Amino acid sequence: MSLPSRSARPGPRRLSPAHPSLVSLVLAVVLSAAAMLSSAAPTAAQPTTSPQPSAPAPSASGDFGSEGPYATAVRVGAFHTLYYPRDISASPRRHPVIIWGNGTFAAPLHYRTLLLHWASHGFIVSAANTGQSGSAYAMLAGIDALGRADADSGSEFYQHVDLAHIAAAGHSQGGAGAIVAGADERIDTVLPIAPGPLADIRDVHGPAFLMAGQTDLIVRPWLVQSFYNAATQIPAIYGELRRVGHFTIGLDPSVYFTSTTAWLRFQLMDEPSARAMFYGPSCGICTDSDTWSEVQRNALVPQ
């Protein structure tokens, strides 16, 4: 879906305080053991022609669970870690943005495999370097930083950031941060994964895909459903992954690849083959009972 550019506005109206717990501390330890440590070095060559915002992204051919067409790079900064197409400076198009929020006491490294998967499908992922992302301030600051890079002729991101198409995503406390960020008018869609409770989805103005784990004992499915039930002003989908717990996202992130990538490519790139996974009378996630233990769609989702 093609959306017009919007002017940057201040962050969301309400704070969402952190909710640390002893169990949350385990997230940093457990996921660190599963994190991959290698990274590719970004290139710095500048494009010879200005990229076009409307230039089509390479097609994912409907296989959103497989690695995308882009080689990837990682850049670790003081406040944000970027995961993005490695040859972005030579790209003929602008690339949509995903801002990411970590769980309590976690870091972008813990979610590296999933964030690199998104980057391989053409997204620039700006992950806040904080384990306290519930307020969404650090997440939203990533948009401002990318805006400056997009305007800087000395940056490899120069004229390659699609600031008109932005998603907010996150896990646990970061999932709550994604909901809080969804109140900002620059955010087109939210993707909260096992979101913590300290957020108000009634402030979100774009479509929401709320994900829960059937066996999650930290953020139980009914907590995620409560967000879905309150989201009466926007198209909202609730998806509960079968046999998935709170830490699965770090230990076996591949279970998230297909559905999250399809949602992001549909919402931010208008990928035709991704639409059928969520919309229509026989949507893909609606009929895939092996992967999903429960799926709900509200009345604003095209049936």
Side-chain angles (χ1 to χ4, degrees):
M1 53 189 69
S2 179
L3 298 176
S5 299
R6 289 184 289 270
S7 299
R9 290 185 51 177
R13 296 187 297 276
R14 63 170 49 81
L15 292 175
S16 181
H19 53 288
S21 66
L22 179 60
V23 177
S24 296
L25 180 59
V26 178
L27 177 64
V29 178
V30 175
L31 294 182
S32 291
M36 299 173 61
L37 298 177
S38 61
S39 63
T43 61
Q46 294 300 319
T48 57
T49 59
S50 297
Q52 300 299 313
S54 58
S59 175
S61 302
D63 187 7
F64 304 108
S66 297
E67 184 178 359
Y70 294 95
T72 57
V74 180
R75 173 176 290 183
V76 181
F79 302 105
H80 300 90
T81 298
L82 300 179
Y83 303 83
Y84 59 99
R86 184 174 63 197
D87 298 323
I88 194 168
S89 61
S91 175
R93 68 184 307 275
R94 290 181 180 268
H95 293 262
V97 173
I98 305 166
I99 57 172
W100 173 263
N102 312 302
T104 304
F105 300 139
L109 179 64
H110 303 141
Y111 305 96
R112 185 179 189 278
T113 303
L114 177 61
L115 305 186
L116 279 175
H117 183 79
W118 291 345
S120 78
H121 281 266
F123 298 100
I124 301 169
V125 184
S126 174
N129 292 341
T130 177
Q132 304 293 330
S133 54
S135 70
Y137 286 151
M139 296 170 64
L140 290 167
I143 301 175
D144 300 326
L146 283 172
R148 291 190 293 270
D150 183 69
D152 179 2
S153 61
S155 169
E156 65 181 317
F157 296 98
Y158 179 57
Q159 295 186 348
H160 286 92
V161 184
D162 185 355
L163 295 168
H165 296 89
I166 305 175
H171 173 245
S172 198
Q173 183 182 159
I179 294 172
V180 174
D184 189 293
E185 290 191 358
R186 296 171 293 180
I187 303 300
D188 296 298
T189 184
V190 297
L191 177 60
I193 301 172
L198 301 179
D200 190 344
I201 201 167
R202 293 173 297 180
D203 290 336
V204 174
H205 61 86
F209 181 27
L210 296 141
M211 303 184 72
Q214 183 187 30
T215 59
D216 192 334
L217 301 179
I218 309 301
V219 178
R220 295 179 182 271
W222 68 266
L223 291 169
V224 184
Q225 279 187 314
S226 67
F227 281 121
Y228 166 78
N229 293 335
T232 58
Q233 82 286 5
I234 56 173
I237 298 176
Y238 168 79
E240 183 181 294
L241 286 164
R242 190 177 296 279
R243 295 181 295 276
V244 164
H246 197 69
F247 303 126
T248 303
I249 192 169
L251 300 173
D252 184 18
S254 63
V255 71
Y256 292 93
F257 285 0
T258 299
S259 58
T260 60
T261 306
W263 179 260
L264 294 165
R265 285 195 64 112
F266 172 48
Q267 296 294 337
L268 301 184
M269 295 180 177
D270 201 21
E271 177 79 33
S273 60
R275 186 184 191 280
M277 286 196 63
F278 305 98
Y279 292 175
S282 301
C283 76
I285 65 171
C286 302
T287 56
D288 183 7
S289 58
D290 290 336
T291 302
W292 303 91
S293 51
E294 185 172 354
V295 172
Q296 298 179 36
R297 301 181 296 171
N298 71 9
L300 297 179
V301 174
Q303 303 297 315

